[in-house]
Structure formats: C-alpha cells, structure tokens
C-alpha cells in the first residue's frame, strides 16, 4: 500500500515549518502553541534541510546550556533526515522507521518539496485495522469449515476457568 493511498494522508494537517535561521525560542513557542513535537526546517524553495524535535531541544540545547533566544534552529536540528515520496510503500517505511529508530518522516513531491510529515504512530494506526483484518482472514482460512471460532474461544475460556479452579483447590 502506498502512503498516498491512505485517505488520512490527504487529511494530514499542514506541517509546522521554519527557516534555518529562526531562533529556537521562537520555533519552540510556535511548536507549543500548536501542540507539535517537531518542526521541519525548510530553505526558501520549500526543500527539507532538517528537522528539530523535542529530543534535539533536550540533547543539543538544554543539555549544552545554550541560550534558546540566540541559538538558531539550524545549530541543533537533525540534518540527516530520511524523506519519502507519496507513492512509496507504507509498510516499507514503517519497517525502516522502526529499525532505524526515528519517528517522523517528511514526505516530499517529485521536486523534493515538502508535502506532509508522517509519524510512526500515524503508520501504526493506519495499519492496525488492516493487520487485524488479515489475521482474521488467515485464522478463518486455516480452520476447517465445521469448527466454529466462537465455540473454540468459549471452550478455551471454560478450560481456563476449570484449570484455575483445580489449581486453586490444590494450593
């Protein structure tokens, strides 16, 4: 499934952006006002230069005792940012984000201009219903037609209650 195939992709809120020379103080004020955990740093042509996250603020500003009113965003942002295209495979990116341990993925167009920012949480919430549907299909396909799944679940519950009762009586 492509990132752009999800109806939620078109409904994403516009990403919060800033210029690289904006002060961290001003950027953080906007992040707080709009309840964003990151801000995308763009050049004049709307190309992604980096991303400043709450983690960058903690590790590269506060931990180094820098002044947020004089420190520019470009001084503490993460510059090595992975970017996706809207027609990239959603599950591939979920795997990459999980393996490489990053949570925000800028999505760019064919001219490398920012379209949206997808979070790992967005991908997980988008894929859960699909994953559960597939598990249900696989379960139904693996059971013989004469076995009722509701009956099986009931039998397991009754077995569990009896087992707990017997163990409780022994102890």
């Amino acid at each position: 499934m492509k990132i752009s195939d999800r109806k939620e992709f078109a409904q994403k809120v516009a990403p919060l952006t800033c210029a690289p020379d904006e002060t961290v103080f001003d950027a953080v004020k906007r992040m707080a006002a709009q309840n964003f955990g990151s801000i995308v740093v763009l050049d004049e042509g709307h190309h992604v230069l980096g991303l400043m996250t709450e983690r960058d603020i903690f590790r590269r500003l506060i931990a180094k005792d820098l002044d947020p009113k004089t420190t520019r965003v470009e001084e503490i942002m993460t510059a090595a940012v992975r970017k996706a295209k809207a027609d990239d495979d959603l599950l591939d990116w979920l795997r990459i984000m999980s393996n490489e341990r990053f949570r925000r993925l800028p999505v760019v167009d064919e001219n490398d201009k920012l379209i949206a920012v997808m979070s790992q949480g967005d991908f997980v919430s988008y894929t859960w219903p699909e994953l559960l549907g597939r598990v249900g299909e696989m379960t139904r396909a693996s059971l013989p037609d004469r076995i009722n799944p509701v009956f099986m679940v009931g039998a397991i519950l009754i077995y569990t209650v009896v087992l707990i009762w017997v163990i409780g009586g022994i102890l």
Side-chain angles (χ1 to χ4, degrees):
M1 170 177 290
K2 295 179 185 179
I3 293 172
S4 61
D5 288 342
R6 300 303 301 207
K7 66 179 180 178
E8 297 88 351
F9 176 75
Q11 299 170 351
K12 288 290 289 181
V13 175
L16 187 61
T17 64
C18 72
D21 60 350
E22 185 171 336
T23 66
V24 173
F25 182 79
D26 290 338
V28 168
K29 279 177 48 178
R30 292 192 302 116
M31 288 169 65
Q34 296 184 40
N35 198 26
F36 275 74
S38 67
I39 191 165
V40 184
V41 185
L42 302 178
D43 64 13
E44 298 83 22
H46 295 281
H47 300 104
V48 177
L49 298 175
L51 190 67
M52 183 180 74
T53 66
E54 294 164 331
R55 181 177 285 177
D56 294 324
I57 296 164
F58 288 131
R59 290 184 175 177
R60 298 181 181 150
L61 182 87
I62 295 171
K64 294 183 179 180
D65 200 28
L66 299 176
D67 182 357
K69 291 187 177 183
T70 59
T71 304
R72 295 183 324 266
V73 170
E74 67 186 341
E75 296 175 57
I76 69 162
M77 72 180 185
T78 299
V81 176
R82 301 284 304 260
K83 298 177 281 186
K85 303 279 189 195
D87 62 349
D88 286 351
D89 186 76
L90 183 136
L91 293 176
D92 286 345
W93 274 110
L94 181 58
R95 239 184 259 92
I96 292 167
M97 293 171 77
S98 180
N99 289 340
E100 295 182 18
R101 305 236 183 249
F102 65 94
R103 293 180 294 194
R104 293 172 181 90
L105 179 67
V107 180
V108 297
D109 66 14
E110 63 279 350
N111 297 316
D112 207 38
K113 293 184 180 184
L114 183 65
I115 301 171
V117 175
M118 300 295 282
S119 71
Q120 192 174 39
D122 291 332
F123 286 165
V124 170
S125 70
Y126 296 162
T127 56
W128 266 113
E130 184 176 306
L131 180 62
L132 292 175
R134 287 185 183 177
V135 167
E137 289 171 13
M138 290 172 55
T139 302
R140 282 189 294 280
S142 66
L143 292 175
D145 289 336
R146 65 181 190 275
I147 296 178
N148 184 338
V150 174
F151 175 76
M152 285 184 61
V153 170
I156 291 169
L157 287 174
I158 291 170
Y159 177 77
T160 303
V161 169
V162 169
L163 189 61
I164 290 171
W165 178 64
V166 169
I167 291 174
I170 294 173
L171 298 176

